[in-house]
Amino acid sequence: MSMKPTPIAVFLAFAVALFLLLPLIAVVPVSFTPARFLSMPADVWSLRHYQALLDNPAWLQSIWLSLRIGILSSVIATLLALMFSLGIWMFRPWFGSLLFGFVLLPMVAPPVVSAITLYFFLTTLSKVNDVVAYDTWVGVAIAHAVMIAPFAVVMVTVALAQVDRRIDLAARGFGASVNQRIFKIILPNIKFGVFTAFFLSFVLSWEEIGVTLFITSVDAVTLPRMMWMGLRDNIDPAIAAISVILIVIVISVILAKTAVTFKFSKKS
């Protein structure tokens, strides 16, 4: 028996959603101000700050850098989460709960503690190489992967919890190897969970600023760091413009993901 929400429940849901979205909505008119400071446009709306994003190569470089870091860190975090969660789910070691708690430590540890630890880790690596080091984009990606991997573990573990273990046991009984069970039985059943873990990891890496401030200086300037520098040194309305662009991109990706998920759910 399916229960439909009442009109009052729908109204309250929309009211709460609108309340949460109001700060984001307020950014839109601010991005069109003709002034050189953050303000609401009075009579004239201008695209000068959007044009400033295109004219200033620093913004484009920071966007491209954040994109590279986000993709690399998300791939690393998702792969690590997948290997860890599959190992726990398939072999069920008696100390699995202890391992799971250890992996989730970056979620509960204060960000400053993690940032300081990663700072000393990357500065130490800087003495022996120039790739995975302090103020390099690969080093930032590794640091982001450490911070976002626990979230990916949670998403993959939730997806695995919905898989009937008897399917894996049946494949094992018919002589399927571990690789066959993983790639032909388990992964097809959790592909949406893996994609969700990757998407969440990318979003978390894209907006990460706390750790980034500790492990970067002048070479690896990500988009959040660029925005932070703009707010600290000069309140630039271009920050509102880039915020609007990011909001539109995120909403578009979420709607596309929802449409794809709904399409495949109807087929299944």
Side-chain angles (χ1 to χ4, degrees), residues 9 29 37 78 97-98 100 124 137 150 158 163 171 191 203 221 248-249:
F37 52 88
T78 305
S97 299
L98 180 62
F100 197 84
T124 302
W137 78 274
V158 170
V163 178
K191 55 186 177 183
V203 172
V221 181
V248 172
I249 293 175

Side-chain angles (χ1 to χ4, degrees), residues 189-212:
N189 285 280
I190 64 169
K191 55 186 177 183
F192 290 115
V194 175
F195 174 75
T196 302
F198 176 83
F199 176 72
L200 176 63
S201 300
F202 180 81
V203 172
L204 292 174
S205 174
W206 179 269
E207 67 177 10
E208 213 296 315
I209 181 61
V211 172
T212 306

